[in-house]
Amino acid sequence: QKEVEQDPGPLSVPEGAIVSLNCTYSNSAFQYFMWYRQYSRKGPELLMYTYSSGNKEDGRFTAQVDKSSKYISLFIRDSQPSDSATYLCAITQGGSEKLVFGKGMKLTVNP
Amino acid sequence: KAGVTQTPRYLIKTRGQQVTLSCSPISGHRSVSWYQQTPGQGLQFLFEYFSETQRNKGNFPGRFSGRQFSNSRSEMNVSTLELGDSALYLCASSFPAHTQYFGPGTRLTVL
């Protein structure tokens, strides 16, 4: 079983749609959860960082963590064409900078 | 603050050669991590350095090595290149813990 599973998509939505991206993980020792956005031919950009179950909101982005189900989500409200990118979930244990990444979901927001 | 910089951005080598990639972290960041990104395997952790010491290592063969200098700049070396080493090599620096900021990457092509 992979440590982190993420549906690779691709996902295509119309502008203004609500987007839901999800990952599951297998090891309950993971404590820190991140979402990265990667545009084509660029390095990943940190979007959201959480360390507890619950929701964290930043503008149009909401990160949700459910540790009991080992399930993390990223919601994008009012999606824009500029949100078109690959979204990667990443998790790590405490005391380590080793990030374990999902495969990434390629999102296209159509005008 | 300037972001993470990586040099060179593109590199073409032949099988059997060796290569050295360079990374300059964000000023004040002492932790530097390296990742390999391929279409098939996604982003995989190579190693992490903190204050010139390797703190973590991923599951890569000994041909992959790295080091960190007293100014936190880091290099990674791949010896005896194989076709499968063709990838985007990403460097990330972090501060505070678990918030990693990635550079643009070095795209290595092995012929």
Side-chain angles (χ1 to χ4, degrees):
Chain A
Q1 185 182 13
K2 286 187 177 295
E3 290 185 288
V4 182
E5 300 270 10
Q6 180 178 13
D7 181 351
L11 179 63
S12 182
V13 301
E15 183 176 352
I18 296 174
V19 175
S20 171
L21 307 170
N22 310 295
C23 289
T24 58
Y25 62 96
S26 58
N27 189 343
S28 57
F30 290 122
Q31 301 176 28
Y32 300 88
F33 310 92
M34 284 133 282
W35 284 95
Y36 282 83
R37 177 175 63 194
Q38 186 173 24
Y39 291 112
S40 181
R41 312 190 80 79
K42 302 279 189 183
E45 169 194 2
L46 180 62
L47 270 181
M48 302 286 283
Y49 163 73
T50 58
Y51 57 87
S52 59
S53 284
N55 294 351
K56 181 177 181 179
E57 193 172 311
D58 184 0
R60 297 183 296 109
F61 298 90
T62 299
Q64 189 173 79
V65 175
D66 182 347
K67 286 188 176 181
S68 62
S69 302
K70 300 189 185 68
Y71 194 84
I72 61 175
S73 301
L74 178 71
F75 299 96
I76 307 174
R77 291 183 300 280
D78 188 24
S79 56
Q80 302 295 310
S82 58
D83 295 328
S84 297
T86 296
Y87 290 80
L88 303 116
C89 61
I91 57 178
T92 188
Q93 300 182 31
S96 170
E97 292 299 320
K98 174 186 174 182
L99 294 182
V100 180
F101 281 87
K103 282 290 185 72
M105 162 77 85
K106 184 172 182 179
L107 170 68
T108 301
V109 181
N110 300 298
Chain B
K1 274 188 183 179
V4 176
T5 58
Q6 292 186 246
T7 57
R9 292 292 312 280
Y10 302 91
L11 210 47
I12 299 175
K13 293 286 188 179
T14 56
R15 278 180 298 174
Q17 288 187 308
Q18 75 166 14
V19 67
T20 299
L21 312 181
S22 181
C23 171
S24 292
I26 293 170
S27 177
H29 289 195
R30 293 164 63 190
S31 171
V32 174
S33 299
W34 288 88
Y35 294 83
Q36 181 196 66
Q37 186 174 31
T38 60
Q41 298 299 317
L43 266 156
Q44 293 186 286
F45 174 81
L46 280 157
F47 26 67
E48 183 228 346
Y49 287 88
F50 182 87
S51 292
E52 302 178 68
T53 300
Q54 187 181 88
R55 286 206 297 198
N56 284 292
K57 190 176 190 304
N59 295 324
F60 280 82
R63 300 186 296 108
F64 292 81
S65 63
R67 59 178 176 168
Q68 186 181 32
F69 303 95
S70 58
N71 61 358
S72 294
R73 192 176 68 85
S74 178
E75 288 181 347
M76 69 162 281
N77 184 277
V78 188
S79 62
T80 319
L81 284 166
E82 300 176 0
L83 294 178
D85 296 334
S86 294
L88 181 67
Y89 289 88
L90 291 156
C91 167
S93 70
S94 60
F95 183 79
H98 314 307
T99 52
Q100 294 193 15
Y101 299 90
F102 283 82
T106 293
R107 185 161 296 280
L108 172 64
T109 302
V110 183
L111 302 176

